[in-house]
Amino acid sequence: MSVLVVGSTALDSIKTPKAENPRLLGGSASHASVAASFFSPVHLVGIVGDDFPKRYIGLYKRHGINLEALQTVPGKTFHWAGEYEVNMNNRRTLTTELGVFETFSPKLPKPLEETPYVLLANIAPALQHHVLDQMRQPKFVIADTMDLWLNIALADLLKLLRRIDAFVLNDSEARLLTKDENLVSTVRKIHRLGPKYVIIKKGEHGSFLSSPRGFFLAPAFPLQKVVDPTGAGDSFVGGLLGYLASRGGSVDAHLRNAIVYGTAVASFCCEGFGLKRTTRISRQAIEERVKTLRKLVAF
Ligand code: AMP
């Protein structure tokens, strides 16, 4: 079954202590769509300006990503610049230029309204609502966010939480949302805001799921070298939803496996700048990392 992804389609300028890479293909929707495409057909909803390099369109296409709902308009593509500290965990945003996103109003082609699996990747909650308004009874809706929206669009985000099945956020965002330091009471508070499934991302320490079937902990894939973690969270949730869509049936039956597949794709994302590594892997390479993860947690 297919997946609809809405989020940012961006040019990212990324600085690490070792290197600087301007105007890479980035954005939450780009990372998530590529990750999901290893498992299921993907429809990308987004907008780019006329400065968006043609080779990036080619890259989406090579992954079989359907671009019918990707608008190209005159103006500048969303541009984000960030800088990592030596530990590669702390990141500072240097620039966020919305460009064509400022006037973006996604309009779904009719057939896409029926897409069963929906990923509202990180973007303004008002846009996430706008896409959801156009969907007809999706089977499963998962949303991601970032601290910016908790700070400047909290009311919209709280409304969104009542409309989705699953919410993914990182541990510092969960603390910001609930004003709570304890992981367990934090997820309980988030369930009360609406979502049946809550997934907390903990960077290099993996992820934590709270669902009707209880808790599940997944480690991150241990990497000896992290080149650029930008988009790892988006790759995680994209891989997760792509896998779920490929299995169909009961979400509860497949969600733990989906988290492990998402974890495996996210690990590749960290091994190269932007999408450079993720766009060069195969499904087989993902399967091998899943096998390793399985061995890591067996006791
Ligand atoms: P992550 O590393 O998972 O937090 O995702 C990083 C991606 O988020 C980058 O590719 C950015 O282009 C994108 N991004 C950064 N700021 C924003 C924002 N305000 N809205 C949407 N996407 C953003």
Side-chain angles (χ1 to χ4, degrees):
M1 280 195 264
S2 57
V3 174
L4 183 127
V5 179
V6 62
S8 54
T9 36
L11 296 174
D12 282 354
S13 298
I14 300 167
K15 205 169 160 187
T16 67
K18 297 228 168 94
E20 218 170 309
N21 270 274
R23 297 170 76 77
L24 296 162
L25 174 60
S28 57
S30 305
H31 283 283
S33 296
V34 169
S37 74
F38 291 105
F39 308 98
S40 294
V42 177
H43 305 283
L44 171 60
V45 183
I47 188 166
V48 294
D50 49 14
D51 59 345
F52 194 68
K54 295 249 176 333
R55 66 180 188 283
Y56 292 166
I57 296 282
L59 224 144
Y60 288 140
K61 286 188 178 160
R62 275 206 295 289
H63 280 77
I65 296 168
N66 179 299
L67 301 178
E68 218 184 321
L70 177 70
Q71 301 174 22
T72 303
V73 299
K76 289 211 177 309
T77 301
F78 180 105
H79 176 234
W80 175 81
E83 180 177 13
Y84 287 88
E85 288 178 14
V86 179
N87 71 11
M88 297 302 284
N89 289 322
N90 300 340
R91 176 171 85 190
R92 201 160 60 92
T93 290
L94 302 173
T95 319
T96 304
E97 291 154 338
L98 289 180
V100 293
F101 261 98
E102 239 163 312
T103 52
F104 182 40
S105 175
K107 176 83 193 83
L108 298 189
K110 266 259 169 287
L112 298 197
E113 294 172 0
E114 315 268 345
T115 316
Y117 291 82
V118 179
L119 169 51
L120 307 173
N122 173 32
I123 194 69
L127 284 177
Q128 294 176 313
H129 277 287
H130 191 65
V131 168
L132 204 46
D133 289 343
Q134 296 173 58
M135 303 300 304
R136 286 169 198 242
Q137 295 187 313
K139 181 176 155 69
F140 188 75
V141 180
I142 189 164
D144 194 354
T145 196
M146 74 185 292
D147 53 357
L148 175 70
W149 312 120
L150 291 164
N151 288 323
I152 71 167
L154 184 60
D156 281 349
L157 186 67
L158 290 175
K159 246 187 263 161
L160 187 79
L161 294 186
R162 291 198 285 274
R163 304 182 67 192
I164 59 175
D165 301 292
F167 189 38
V168 185
L169 69 176
N170 68 33
D171 44 4
S172 61
E173 291 156 0
R175 284 196 288 271
L176 181 65
L177 176 63
T178 59
K179 314 271 181 285
D180 193 331
E181 291 291 320
N182 179 287
L183 196 65
V184 176
S185 55
T186 292
V187 294
R188 296 233 154 93
K189 284 181 183 168
I190 300 175
H191 281 305
R192 286 203 286 275
L193 296 172
K196 185 169 166 189
Y197 304 92
V198 178
I199 301 169
I200 310 277
K201 297 173 288 183
K202 301 190 295 161
E204 63 177 326
H205 304 296
S207 61
F208 179 76
L209 160 74
S210 172
S211 78
R213 290 208 182 169
F215 296 149
F216 175 61
L217 280 162
F221 189 90
L223 291 175
Q224 196 170 331
K225 192 166 168 222
V226 172
V227 174
D228 168 24
T230 308
D234 311 309
S235 305
F236 169 78
V237 67
L240 182 164
L241 194 64
Y243 178 84
L244 267 189
S246 74
R247 300 311 303 262
S250 149
V251 167
D252 282 309
H254 301 297
L255 190 51
R256 288 180 171 214
N257 275 305
I259 286 175
V260 176
Y261 274 87
T263 300
V265 184
S267 71
F268 288 109
C269 174
C270 296
E271 290 181 313
F273 270 96
L275 272 152
K276 283 187 181 174
R277 175 86 168 114
T278 321
T279 48
R280 288 188 186 132
I281 59 168
S282 63
R283 174 71 189 261
Q284 188 49 37
I286 299 170
E287 293 295 343
E288 275 157 27
R289 287 213 169 162
V290 167
K291 226 188 266 172
T292 307
L293 280 164
R294 211 180 286 285
K295 280 198 201 133
L296 270 176
V297 294
F299 61 91

